[in-house]
Amino acid sequence: MLRLTKRLVAASIWGPGAIGKNDDRVRGLLRVALPALDIALVLFGVGGFLSGIPALRDVFDPLYAELWSAALGAAALGCLVGLAFPAHLWRVERTGKAVLAAMLTVYGGALIWAGIATDDLGRSAVGFIPLALVPVLVWRILDVTKDAQRNGWRGAPR
């Protein structure tokens, strides 16, 4: 078991030599910040599925809110796995980040709309937090695509 763990770590973004000299400036993003974001979004999705997200329930049908939460958690988990093994699963991360960007846009819009509908501008203000994450996700979509091209990963656009 220990041997398998060592092999997985060595093949991951946390393995020695996984990040080239060109990407040294974003080492912290790739090894800490982006995985932490993905983990937080997995937990957000699971929590939303188990207990509901009030803004989504207020704006949409409760079943939609539940399915939305489960889908967000699943997409974030895919992003985390894709980020961990970019040479093999970069497309999983790229697709997951695109899904997360769309879903967080919906969530931010729902918060803003729910706040306007209930005359609670504080609730609307919170809607800008998920919207602030969208540019980070779009940046990563572009960045992982460039990495795939530069490193010649399988299926990379030319």
Side-chain angles (χ1 to χ4, degrees), residues 22-33:
N22 292 341
D23 290 327
D24 198 44
R25 63 183 171 70
V26 293
R27 179 181 304 273
L29 274 172
L30 296 173
R31 288 186 169 168
V32 180

Side-chain angles (χ1 to χ4, degrees), residues 5 7 10 28 33 38 42 44 47 49 54-55 58 61-62 90 92-93 98 103 105 111 113 121 127 139 141 146:
T5 303
R7 286 182 60 202
D38 291 339
V42 166
F44 178 58
F49 178 75
D58 291 351
D61 181 74
W90 67 273
V92 172
E93 183 191 7
M103 294 182 82
T105 300
L111 280 168
W113 183 259
L121 294 182
W139 168 81
I141 291 166
K146 287 178 191 172

Side-chain angles (χ1 to χ4, degrees), residues 2-123:
L2 182 61
R3 191 179 201 164
L4 176 63
T5 303
K6 285 183 179 182
R7 286 182 60 202
L8 282 174
V9 170
S12 76
I13 195 73
W14 298 282
I19 298 176
K21 299 262 188 228
N22 292 341
D23 290 327
D24 198 44
R25 63 183 171 70
V26 293
R27 179 181 304 273
L29 274 172
L30 296 173
R31 288 186 169 168
V32 180
L34 290 173
L37 174 62
D38 291 339
I39 290 168
L41 290 173
V42 166
L43 295 174
F44 178 58
V46 169
F49 178 75
L50 295 176
S51 8
I53 298 173
L56 290 176
R57 282 193 316 249
D58 291 351
V59 176
F60 303 110
D61 181 74
L63 178 62
Y64 172 83
E66 209 171 85
L67 293 173
W68 183 93
S69 297
L72 183 115
L77 183 60
C79 288
L80 181 61
V81 172
L83 176 67
F85 302 99
H88 301 288
L89 300 173
W90 67 273
R91 287 175 286 197
V92 172
E93 183 191 7
R94 184 178 68 174
T95 302
K97 291 287 196 262
V99 168
L100 287 178
M103 294 182 82
L104 288 175
T105 300
V106 168
Y107 179 56
L111 280 168
I112 293 167
W113 183 259
I116 291 169
T118 60
D119 201 27
D120 183 355
L121 294 182
R123 191 176 200 188

